[in-house]
Amino acid sequence: MDYDILHGIVIEESEALSLSELCQICNVEVEWIMALVNEGIFEPAGTRPEDWFFSGVALRRVLVVRHLQRDLDVNLSGAALVLELLEERNALLAKINLY
């Protein structure tokens, strides 16, 4: 029986990723990330795209949006709404689990 060995890196929510690193990790184009920023899906640190840095939260959001678009053909506005609802749901579930 053959096994594939996978290697990965754990990226913390507080870790900063450059625009090129984010694109490489998610296998997406710079223009698509810029469209996500313009849609308000996340906000990079830095003033110009060359200086942008993204958190691990942005990485997670990129992956969710990519899946929403690929699997459900959701546009960016719809993806932004879905992300907001998912995060609200997760916050409510976290509050319930505290009690």
Side-chain angles (χ1 to χ4, degrees):
M1 186 173 211
D2 291 329
Y3 293 100
D4 291 328
I5 297 175
L6 302 176
H7 298 277
I9 297 172
V10 175
I11 298 176
E12 299 291 330
E13 287 186 3
S14 61
E15 189 166 338
L17 300 167
S18 70
L19 177 58
S20 62
E21 289 172 327
L22 183 64
C23 290
Q24 183 179 9
I25 290 168
C26 298
N27 195 30
V28 297
E29 299 293 325
V30 169
E31 293 78 17
W32 189 73
I33 296 294
M34 293 175 87
L36 296 180
V37 170
N38 289 334
E39 190 63 43
I41 291 176
F42 48 77
E43 187 174 322
T47 55
R48 300 175 304 155
E50 302 83 34
D51 302 327
W52 282 355
F53 281 93
F54 300 88
S55 69
V57 172
L59 170 62
R60 184 181 46 77
R61 286 178 153 232
V62 168
L63 295 173
V64 170
V65 170
R66 197 176 71 180
H67 286 292
L68 288 169
Q69 286 195 316
R70 184 187 64 218
D71 299 341
L72 301 174
D73 200 29
V74 175
N75 64 23
L76 290 182
S77 297
L81 177 61
V82 169
L83 280 170
E84 185 179 321
L85 293 172
L86 285 172
E87 289 172 355
E88 186 176 322
R89 173 190 164 267
N90 290 342
L92 291 171
L93 286 173
K95 283 183 181 179
I96 289 171
N97 289 332
L98 289 177
Y99 297 106

